Amino acid sequence: MRKKTIEKVPYLTLPKVSRKKGVEYIGVTAFRNIAHERHLFLEVYRNDRACRDIPAVRIVLDKNDFGTFFPETGKWSRRRIMADTWDGYGLVWQENRPGRSEYTLKEENILYSQEDLERIRTFTDDSGWSGRPWWGYIDRRQKDITAAEYNGRAARKYERRQQALKERAEQTPELPEDRILDYADRVIFHGQHYLYYKKHGGRAAVACSACGSVSDERWKPGTGYEGQFVRTIREPRMGGAGTCPACGAAGEYMPQGRAKGFHRKSSYLFLGQGYGKKGMVFRYIEASKEWQLELACGEREPEMYSSGEKLRISEIARVYFEPGKKRQTDFHKHNPYTGEDFWDDCNLGGLQNIPIREAPVMPETYRNMNGTFIQYSGMEEFQGSEGAINAADYIERYIQMPQIEMLAKMGLVRIVRELAECHYGIVADDRAERVDAFLGIRKEHVKQLVEHKGDTDILKIMQIEKRTGQRWTDGQIEQIAETGMDCTQIMQAMGYVTMQKLLNRISRYAGCEYGTMCSRASARLKAVARTYSDYLGMREALGYDMGSTVYLFPRDLDAGHARMVQEYNRQEADKRILEAAERYPLIKKNYRRFRKMFYYGDGDYIIRPARSAEEIVMEGRILHHCVGGDGYLDRHNKGERIILFLRDAAEAEMPYVTVEIDVGTLRILQWYGAHDKKPEEEVIGRWLENYRTRLQCMRDGTQREAGESGTDGTAVPLLA
């Protein structure tokens, strides 16, 4: 669309304003030829004499495009006529009609004449639908144009993707299947063979999966003179090791009945190959080995007549890395409708997602890296320590953070694994070139970190030491790492004791030493450290003197911690009581009024409303239920639902049952005793039902009495 040319076209102007009430905008249309192509001009004017010459908005449509021009700002927009807003203009002042979720144009926005409507219908080729409002024709045409543009862009984008996919497949080296099969058999499956057997007396039929032969051998030596010259084999037992009598291959014994025809094991591996000038493609391959036992019908039962094994490989994904480009992953997919396999540049979704997991990397990958831009990635050293790795993720992290090479070659494999899994929180300065600056530790501790292969627990303590300006020995760092304490706990404790005294006390409380490599001892040290940190935190919160070593290091840590917990909980409960009294004062204020309405007692039980918010909170604490929550307090405070206390007549102040009643309907909503249980359920339930009936009768009688004696003839509710 030639916007500059369209801006030079004179405005159509509004011949005259409309006197129809409520009309805010009037549309005027015309056809204009621009560059030998017919365009529809729709100009919308404010219904005002002063705005007849310049429109509020000009909408222009041609065969394949549209645009919206705002004369006041001189800007163009691709916003459709039924968009949410018009850059401050009220052409499409919208209203939400009842029963319709979308916003619509006001019907008071009109066209100047019937000819304008006919031009719109003719241009949009939609004259057959007379029930559509005039702006609906424009909006539908704009939608069609937008959809066509989107589909065209999507089609072109898809074509570009398919062409790039085809080029990658053509430039990808051929897969060396023989070498992969040999590597998988040696490294992954360890050349495993199976010896299937079926015993009958002192003999056994043995089928070898390596050579496929079936032989009948004696496993139990004979008793006669000749028996000592007969060849015997090791007694076949499931899972035991044996040797094929025919080919001599070592294998694992498996009973004929357990074979189930065939069985298979599968695993994965990576193969890296050169791609392009200096790029690499990592091929994620599934290798499987299948063992099969062939049976034939015998005289009495199925008999073994052959066995075999077969190796297979299937390429799952290809991950491409090129200098200056993002990682690109292609996936091998299967179309169940056509039965064809194909490659695609996007993964499947949901449960069908194709994952790329850790796997061994073929050694020739590192030879193929020579001359590429990732030849110094350090992946070979990392895999040498870890075994199976996710090569694709490692290379991607290396491109993002080249310092991984230095860490891998130094043997800090645990840190490298954290970074390979995108756990960047352990990095202090991602632009640093030295290890100590990169990890945020002191230079003298780098050797110790290397000795522990980059243990992240030790690294965390080293970072705390550097960040807080402390100086700890290597032994102290290892011991505090074993306790599992975080920075807050460490610095809290060191506000009162030295690091060495803290470690000694934790060890004494735990009853075990550091560095024993015993999982039980390590767990005990961690538990004691948590308990002691919690003990110190509660003493601080309660305002105790922290200078006395008698209270700083209690003789019995568990008992001291239990006392602090009890006192801390009591103090928190007191805070809750004060808070409830402040937030819900009407409970106490209205107590006498509600007591007149709801108090009742007989020889067995009495029932009354709560005197205050504090009493409700204490009721919930003593009976261990939730009546002290804000919801119950708020409804009681508003007078909507009242909390009643049911007591034994002999012990009127002893909490027993808590009742919630609706003021309007006098319906008992719920009642519970201690721990949300219902004591004497039948007796209490029947008593409460009689109580409710009595309340209802009192209300009805009061209403009738008030209705008879009232001056206006209306009844006054008892509990209003």
Side-chain angles (χ1 to χ4, degrees):
M1 181 171 287
R2 303 192 177 191
K3 297 180 180 179
K4 295 297 183 183
T5 305
I6 292 173
E7 291 179 17
K8 296 177 182 178
V9 176
Y11 295 124
L12 303 179
T13 70
L14 180 64
K16 62 179 181 179
V17 299
S18 174
R19 296 183 179 180
K20 184 178 178 181
K21 186 177 180 181
V23 174
E24 300 180 37
Y25 294 92
I26 302 175
V28 181
T29 64
F31 290 125
R32 294 289 185 267
N33 287 328
I34 298 177
H36 307 289
E37 185 177 357
R38 188 168 73 160
H39 289 61
L40 173 65
F41 280 64
L42 168 62
E43 295 179 354
V44 182
Y45 294 82
R46 291 188 179 90
N47 190 25
D48 189 345
R49 293 181 182 275
C51 303
R52 292 169 57 182
D53 297 328
I54 300 178
V57 64
R58 168 185 271 183
I59 302 172
V60 184
L61 296 93
D62 61 18
K63 184 177 180 181
N64 299 313
D65 201 1
F66 71 91
T68 303
F69 178 68
F70 298 95
E72 185 174 329
T73 60
K75 294 182 179 180
W76 284 85
S77 172
R78 287 279 293 176
R79 188 171 294 165
R80 300 199 318 270
I81 192 171
M82 292 183 68
D84 292 341
T85 60
W86 278 82
D87 294 334
Y89 295 95
L91 168 67
V92 289
W93 283 16
Q94 296 170 333
E95 58 182 356
N96 190 2
R97 297 184 180 180
R100 299 182 62 177
S101 60
E102 73 274 10
Y103 286 86
T104 60
L105 291 170
K106 289 187 175 181
E107 295 182 355
E108 289 77 8
N109 296 322
I110 65 173
L111 292 175
Y112 181 74
S113 66
Q114 183 66 26
E115 288 78 8
D116 295 314
L117 179 59
E118 293 301 326
R119 291 190 192 98
I120 293 175
R121 289 179 177 177
T122 301
F123 188 84
T124 58
D125 193 22
D126 201 5
S127 59
W129 189 3
S130 58
R132 187 194 299 267
W134 65 267
W135 55 78
Y137 298 101
I138 301 294
D139 185 69
R140 180 170 179 178
R141 182 59 180 271
Q142 290 175 338
K143 284 183 179 179
D144 292 342
I145 293 173
T146 303
E149 291 176 349
Y150 174 80
N151 293 334
R153 289 195 300 269
R156 291 191 294 272
K157 182 179 179 180
Y158 179 76
E159 290 177 0
R160 291 194 297 269
R161 286 172 47 196
Q162 292 300 308
Q163 182 61 31
L165 179 66
K166 181 180 178 181
E167 292 176 356
R168 287 194 298 271
E170 292 175 350
Q171 297 177 19
T172 300
E174 185 177 355
L175 196 66
E177 295 187 7
D178 294 339
R179 294 200 300 273
I180 295 175
L181 291 172
D182 179 67
Y183 176 82
D185 195 27
R186 289 186 297 102
V187 177
I188 297 177
F189 303 111
H190 307 288
Q192 185 175 11
H193 307 296
Y194 280 97
L195 300 174
Y196 304 100
Y197 68 91
K198 177 68 174 178
K199 292 183 180 179
H200 45 88
R203 307 184 68 85
V206 179
C208 175
S209 65
C211 63
S213 64
V214 179
S215 57
D216 189 74
E217 302 292 332
R218 175 176 288 276
W219 63 270
K220 182 181 292 186
T223 57
Y225 175 76
E226 295 82 0
Q228 61 182 323
F229 301 105
V230 177
R231 185 182 66 177
T232 60
I233 61 173
R234 180 182 298 180
E235 179 184 1
R237 293 181 179 273
M238 181 177 175
T243 304
C244 175
C247 66
E252 179 183 334
Y253 279 120
M254 178 178 287
Q256 173 185 326
R258 289 292 188 96
K260 304 297 183 184
F262 71 93
H263 53 104
R264 183 177 63 176
K265 293 182 180 180
S266 61
S267 186
Y268 298 89
L269 57 89
F270 283 100
L271 171 63
Q273 296 175 302
Y275 176 79
K277 292 184 178 180
K278 289 190 175 182
M280 284 283 291
V281 54
F282 285 86
R283 311 178 80 160
Y284 187 59
I285 301 167
E286 179 184 20
S288 62
K289 190 171 185 179
E290 182 179 295
W291 297 268
Q292 186 168 5
L293 175 63
E294 301 289 344
L295 300 175
C297 294
E299 295 181 358
R300 297 182 178 179
E301 57 185 9
E303 296 179 356
M304 300 181 293
Y305 77 90
S306 179
S307 64
E309 56 191 37
K310 183 181 294 185
L311 279 166
R312 290 191 178 94
I313 59 171
S314 176
E315 192 171 6
I316 305 299
R318 298 169 179 169
V319 187
Y320 296 87
F321 295 99
E322 293 184 84
K325 294 184 179 181
K326 293 183 178 180
R327 161 181 170 171
Q328 173 59 46
T329 306
D330 294 341
F331 297 90
H332 196 189
K333 299 180 179 178
H334 176 75
N335 189 333
Y337 300 102
T338 62
E340 297 178 352
D341 293 341
F342 64 98
W343 285 90
D344 198 3
D345 61 354
C346 61
N347 205 341
L348 296 171
L351 297 176
Q352 301 299 321
N353 184 270
I354 303 174
I356 300 179
R357 299 190 175 94
E358 296 180 346
V361 181
M362 291 185 64
E364 63 182 87
T365 298
Y366 303 110
R367 295 193 298 270
N368 296 335
M369 280 186 178
N370 294 330
T372 67
F373 79 112
I374 58 172
Q375 63 177 331
Y376 302 115
S377 63
M379 189 174 76
E380 185 173 6
E381 290 79 3
F382 178 55
Q383 192 217 350
S385 301
E386 294 293 288
I389 64 171
N390 191 323
D393 287 351
Y394 179 89
I395 295 299
E396 186 174 14
R397 299 294 94 75
Y398 165 71
I399 295 173
Q400 297 170 353
M401 192 174 289
Q403 294 93 332
I404 287 182
E405 173 199 353
M406 170 180 58
L407 301 176
K409 292 181 177 179
M410 291 181 65
L412 302 174
V413 292
R414 297 182 184 177
I415 296 176
V416 174
R417 178 169 288 278
E418 290 290 311
L419 295 177
E421 295 175 355
C422 297
H423 300 159
Y424 293 141
I426 61 176
V427 176
D429 184 1
D430 59 358
R431 292 176 294 182
E433 296 182 356
R434 295 201 329 265
V435 175
D436 57 318
F438 180 74
L439 297 176
I441 63 176
R442 299 191 185 279
K443 187 176 181 180
E444 57 267 24
H445 290 318
V446 173
K447 182 178 180 181
Q448 181 187 11
L449 192 62
V450 172
E451 292 174 353
H452 288 83
K453 298 183 178 181
D455 188 293
T456 53
D457 292 334
I458 293 179
L459 171 64
K460 180 181 70 173
I461 302 303
M462 291 179 176
Q463 291 174 333
I464 294 174
E465 179 206 27
K466 174 80 177 290
R467 188 166 60 247
T468 57
Q470 302 291 321
R471 288 283 182 177
W472 299 330
T473 65
D474 291 353
Q476 289 175 336
I477 289 175
E478 294 176 11
Q479 291 174 4
I480 199 67
E482 194 171 357
T483 65
M485 299 176 70
D486 58 26
C487 181
T488 303
Q489 295 170 332
I490 293 172
M491 300 314 299
Q492 178 191 52
M494 291 193 64
Y496 312 109
V497 297
T498 63
M499 172 59 73
Q500 192 58 50
K501 183 175 289 188
L502 172 65
L503 293 171
N504 293 342
R505 282 291 176 172
I506 292 175
S507 176
R508 184 181 302 176
Y509 284 138
C512 51
E513 300 294 331
Y514 297 102
T516 59
M517 304 302 291
C518 173
S519 59
R520 180 174 297 180
S522 180
R524 176 61 182 163
L525 289 169
K526 287 181 172 62
V528 168
R530 287 195 301 268
T531 302
Y532 186 67
S533 298
D534 195 30
Y535 171 81
L536 291 180
M538 286 188 291
R539 286 195 67 87
E540 280 187 348
L542 293 172
Y544 279 96
D545 179 19
M546 303 297 291
S548 173
T549 57
V550 174
Y551 298 109
L552 198 59
F553 299 113
R555 184 182 300 274
D556 188 335
L557 177 61
D558 292 334
H561 180 264
R563 287 194 299 270
M564 287 296 102
V565 169
Q566 185 177 8
E567 186 173 348
Y568 185 79
N569 289 342
R570 184 169 60 251
Q571 190 176 84
E572 289 297 312
D574 293 340
K575 290 181 181 178
R576 170 61 180 164
I577 290 175
L578 295 176
E579 177 192 1
E582 183 178 351
R583 291 181 59 185
Y584 309 105
L586 295 181
I587 298 178
K588 184 175 183 180
K589 183 178 180 181
N590 296 328
Y591 166 68
R592 292 188 177 275
R593 181 166 66 91
F594 286 127
R595 189 179 189 281
K596 292 179 181 179
M597 301 175 184
F598 293 105
Y599 180 86
Y600 174 72
D602 57 15
D604 297 322
Y605 304 103
I606 64 170
I607 190 169
R608 64 171 177 83
R611 299 189 183 101
S612 63
E614 302 97 297
E615 191 176 29
I616 297 177
V617 173
M618 288 300 299
E619 179 89 357
R621 186 193 305 177
I622 294 172
L623 296 182
H624 303 283
H625 55 47
C626 59
V627 74
D630 288 333
Y632 296 101
L633 293 172
D634 184 62
R635 289 190 290 268
H636 191 133
N637 192 64
K638 294 177 180 177
E640 298 172 354
R641 299 178 180 180
I642 303 301
I643 301 299
L644 305 175
F645 297 154
L646 176 67
R647 303 284 192 252
D648 191 301
E651 299 177 329
E653 296 302 319
M654 180 66 68
Y656 185 47
V657 171
T658 310
V659 182
E660 183 183 21
I661 189 170
D662 187 282
V663 175
T665 63
L666 296 182
R667 184 167 62 91
I668 294 178
L669 303 174
Q670 55 181 329
W671 65 271
Y672 287 103
H675 301 282
D676 287 329
K677 295 181 179 180
K678 295 187 175 183
E680 302 179 280
E681 185 169 359
E682 292 186 6
V683 176
I684 300 297
R686 186 167 55 252
W687 194 93
L688 288 174
E689 184 60 32
N690 295 334
Y691 169 71
R692 179 188 178 281
T693 303
R694 181 178 180 279
L695 289 178
Q696 189 67 50
C697 293
M698 291 176 59
R699 168 182 283 188
D700 294 342
T702 305
Q703 289 179 343
R704 285 194 298 271
E705 182 179 351
E708 294 172 358
S709 60
T711 57
D712 58 354
T714 59
V716 180
L718 172 64
L719 302 179

